């Protein structure tokens, strides 16, 4: 009896309700969009903008406090882009790769650390924007466009001639690769973050206190790794698209 | 408990793979964010990092240049010091030789003076001896005359 009461209590607080595939729809004209994704993404964007603003409000030659931290972050992002794209070409790609990493990282961590579920919205529930496949597919498609753009701007239409390298047999494989890359990028991120949220959710539902903590910590780790993987792969694809046959880059 | 897990993947609307206008809007939103972050974050902080790297490199180059200058200056001073030391040694040697010369000159002069004085003294002695001898001779003559006068008489003495 007592146990049933406890379960009822938890259910009434709605700490652990898991709703997958339920969305809070907004309608713009005849199009429908997922409101909860935008709400949480605006939070993420807000965090990033505020952090950037605070860090660059008064840029000092000898950095202190938050400027120091954000410079460390920027150094990390530059390193990420430089390692994959190469010393010569990486600079214009830092905003794209960096924003990918920062957005995904802050989204994932916000999803894991902020008790979104306590904020009630009419339908569905708030969570990390990366739990929605629209977000991850959008990022993956942007990455695809980015590396097509990088390849074509570097080599013109000769970029597609590279598909036949080293032998024309490669053409179908390379063409398939162009579809599988965005697919794998989007599904890896979507699947990992959704699975993590589900696993934590189910565990919280079963044993609400303390027991889910290790899994949540692991979730934070996974979240960070997923952001790193997405950004690294995006940079690597862009770098690969710009790579010339001599293979002189990656220094 | 299971009723809390609502898997709506099968419903007509919604579901896990409900791809709709969220996708392009999210892409546009992302590109906007990247642009704004570029203006607000990547550019200013990137510039700050690059400027600092340049500044440090500049300071390092300047320090290197100054060190080289200092080394060159030290070498120059050392060279000058060596020359001055050589000069001073020369001056000392000259002074010493001059002093030696003066000393030897003076010694020589003194010796000469001594010789002259000795000569003078010996001349004087000689003159006095001659004078004494002549006076003695005269005395002897006088005495002899007196003796002769006494002995033989005055008329035989001439």
């Amino acid at each position: 009896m007592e146990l049933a009461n406890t379960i009822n209590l938890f259910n009434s607080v709605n700490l652990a309700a898991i709703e997958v595939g339920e969305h809070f729809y907004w309608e713009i004209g005849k199009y429908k969009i997922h409101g909860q994704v935008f709400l949480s993404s605006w939070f993420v964007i807000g965090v990033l903008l505020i952090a950037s603003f605070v860090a660059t409000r008064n840029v000092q030659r000898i950095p202190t406090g938050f400027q120091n931290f954000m410079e460390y972050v920027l150094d990390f992002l530059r390193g990420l882009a430089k390692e994959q794209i190469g010393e010569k070409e990486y600079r214009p790609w830092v905003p794209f790769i960096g924003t990918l990493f920062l957005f995904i990282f802050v989204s994932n961590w916000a999803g894991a650390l902020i008790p979104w579920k306590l904020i009630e919205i009419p339908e569905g529930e708030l969570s990390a924007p990366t739990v929605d496949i629209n977000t991850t597919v959008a990022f993956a498609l942007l990455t695809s466009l980015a590396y097509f753009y990088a390849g074509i701007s570097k080599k013109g239409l000769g970029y597609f001639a590279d598909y036949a390298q080293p032998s024309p047999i490669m053409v179908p494989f390379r063409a398939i690769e162009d579809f599988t890359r965005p697919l794998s990028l989007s599904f890896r991120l979507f699947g990992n973050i959704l699975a993590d949220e589900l696993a934590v959710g189910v565990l919280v539902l079963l044993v609400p206190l303390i027991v889910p903590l290790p899994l949540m910590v692991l979730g934070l780790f996974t979240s960070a790794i997923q952001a790193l993987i997405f950004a690294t792969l995006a940079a690597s694809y862009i770098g690969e698209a710009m790579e010339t046959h001599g293979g002189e880059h990656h220094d | 408990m299971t009723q809390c897990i609502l898997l709506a993947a099968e419903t007509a609307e919604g579901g896990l793979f409900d791809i709709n206008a969220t996708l392009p809007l999210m892409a546009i939103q992302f590109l906007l964010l990247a642009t704004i972050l570029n203006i607000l974050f990547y550019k200013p902080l990137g510039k700050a990092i690059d400027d600092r790297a340049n500044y440090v490199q500049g300071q390092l180059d300047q320090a290197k240049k100054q060190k080289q200058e200092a080394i060159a200056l030290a070498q120059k001073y050392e060279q000058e010091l060596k020359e001055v030391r050589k000069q001073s040694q020369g001056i000392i040697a000259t002074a010493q030789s001059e002093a030696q010369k003066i000393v030897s000159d003076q010694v020589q002069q003194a010796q000469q003076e001594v010789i002259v004085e000795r000569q003078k003294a010996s001349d004087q002695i000689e003159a006095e001896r001659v004078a004494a001898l002549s006076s003695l001779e005269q005395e002897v003559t006088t005495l002899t005359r007196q003796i002769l006068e006494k002995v033989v008489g005055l008329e035989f003495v001439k």
Side-chain angles (χ1 to χ4, degrees):
Chain A
M1 189 65 192
E2 205 170 298
L3 184 69
N5 281 342
T6 317
I7 290 171
N8 277 339
L9 178 71
F10 277 116
N11 282 344
S12 64
V13 175
N14 203 18
L15 250 184
I18 302 162
E19 296 170 18
V20 177
E22 286 236 325
H23 303 295
F24 172 37
Y25 286 103
W26 289 345
E27 286 191 30
I28 300 177
K30 56 178 180 167
Y31 299 108
K32 283 188 167 183
I33 60 171
H34 294 165
Q36 86 277 12
V37 176
F38 280 99
L39 285 176
S40 50
S41 76
W42 291 338
F43 171 80
V44 172
I45 290 170
V47 167
L48 290 176
L49 291 184
I50 289 168
S52 308
F53 180 72
V54 171
T56 56
R57 203 176 28 170
N58 181 21
V59 177
Q60 304 277 337
R61 181 185 283 157
I62 300 165
T64 48
F66 204 63
Q67 187 194 340
N68 206 356
F69 171 71
M70 289 303 269
E71 276 194 19
Y72 172 75
V73 171
L74 181 58
D75 235 21
F76 168 75
L77 297 175
R78 278 180 161 194
L80 194 82
K82 199 197 288 184
E83 224 164 81
Q84 302 301 327
I85 301 176
E87 177 78 43
K88 255 197 307 198
E89 322 251 12
Y90 83 95
R91 277 177 185 266
W93 292 103
V94 170
F96 182 72
I97 310 285
T99 313
L100 264 182
F101 177 83
L102 287 179
F103 189 92
I104 296 171
F105 180 78
V106 177
S107 290
N108 293 352
W109 270 45
L113 290 176
I114 298 172
W116 291 111
K117 318 254 185 304
L118 294 182
I119 304 168
E120 291 232 4
I121 52 173
E123 219 183 331
E125 59 184 18
L126 285 172
S127 60
T130 35
V131 167
D132 194 282
I133 192 144
N134 286 288
T135 314
T136 59
V137 171
F139 292 169
L141 287 180
L142 281 177
T143 305
S144 288
L145 288 179
Y147 74 74
F148 276 128
Y149 168 77
I152 292 169
S153 68
K154 183 91 192 284
K155 307 176 196 165
L157 287 177
Y159 169 69
F160 293 104
D162 279 358
Y163 277 32
Q165 296 290 340
S167 129
I169 296 172
M170 293 303 286
V171 173
F173 298 106
R174 295 293 302 271
I176 289 169
E177 208 179 17
D178 282 338
F179 292 99
T180 54
R181 272 176 176 178
L183 261 179
S184 75
L185 271 180
S186 53
F187 274 83
R188 184 184 307 110
L189 181 60
F190 167 68
N192 271 292
I193 304 305
L194 178 72
D196 180 57
E197 289 219 352
L198 277 179
V200 171
V202 169
L203 211 59
V204 168
L205 202 67
L206 295 173
V207 199
L209 297 173
I210 300 170
V211 176
L213 276 177
L215 198 67
M216 286 168 141
V217 174
L218 189 71
L220 287 180
F221 180 68
T222 323
S223 300
I225 292 289
Q226 285 309 316
L228 182 67
I229 288 177
F230 200 106
T232 308
L233 281 179
S236 148
Y237 292 157
I238 291 166
E240 201 179 300
M242 289 199 288
E243 201 172 32
T244 43
H245 280 306
E248 35 65 53
H249 99 127
H250 283 303
D251 42 336
Chain B
M1 246 195 302
T2 46
Q3 73 202 23
C4 295
I5 305 172
L6 302 170
L7 284 172
E10 302 295 323
T11 53
E13 193 173 65
L16 274 182
F17 302 107
D18 178 26
I19 289 178
N20 54 23
T22 311
L23 194 157
L25 282 179
M26 186 56 86
I28 293 166
Q29 184 175 276
F30 174 81
L31 290 179
L32 270 178
L33 176 68
T35 315
I36 294 170
L37 281 187
N38 191 28
I39 296 164
L40 206 63
F41 171 40
Y42 302 119
K43 266 191 188 160
L45 276 198
K47 192 173 167 294
I49 292 174
D50 292 343
D51 282 354
R52 188 178 313 122
N54 288 340
Y55 172 77
V56 169
Q57 192 58 47
Q59 292 285 340
L60 217 69
D61 289 347
Q62 207 178 328
K64 233 179 241 176
K65 210 173 126 192
Q66 277 176 349
K67 190 183 159 193
Q68 276 172 349
E69 276 174 7
I71 288 172
L73 217 62
Q75 275 176 345
K76 197 181 144 200
Y77 281 138
E78 214 159 295
Q79 194 68 34
E80 273 178 23
L81 205 67
K82 250 186 217 170
E83 269 169 35
V84 168
R85 210 171 276 165
K86 214 190 269 179
Q87 275 178 3
S88 66
Q89 270 174 353
I91 289 170
I92 289 171
T94 323
Q96 270 179 345
S97 72
E98 270 174 23
Q100 200 79 40
K101 206 178 149 200
I102 290 169
V103 166
S104 68
D105 279 359
Q106 280 185 349
V107 165
Q108 216 169 1
Q109 205 182 335
Q111 273 175 348
Q112 223 129 40
E113 273 173 24
V114 165
I115 289 168
V116 169
E117 287 291 316
R118 216 160 57 182
Q119 191 64 44
K120 229 190 254 176
S122 74
D123 285 355
Q124 209 176 341
I125 287 165
E126 187 60 34
E128 277 178 19
R129 198 176 61 102
V130 170
L133 272 180
S134 77
S135 80
L136 202 63
E137 208 173 320
Q138 220 164 354
E139 232 166 284
V140 166
T141 314
T142 318
L143 274 178
T144 314
R145 189 180 290 232
Q146 281 177 353
I147 290 165
L148 276 176
E149 275 175 4
K150 276 187 185 169
V151 173
V152 287
L154 196 58
E155 51 274 20
F156 294 101
V157 181
K158 279 276 173 161

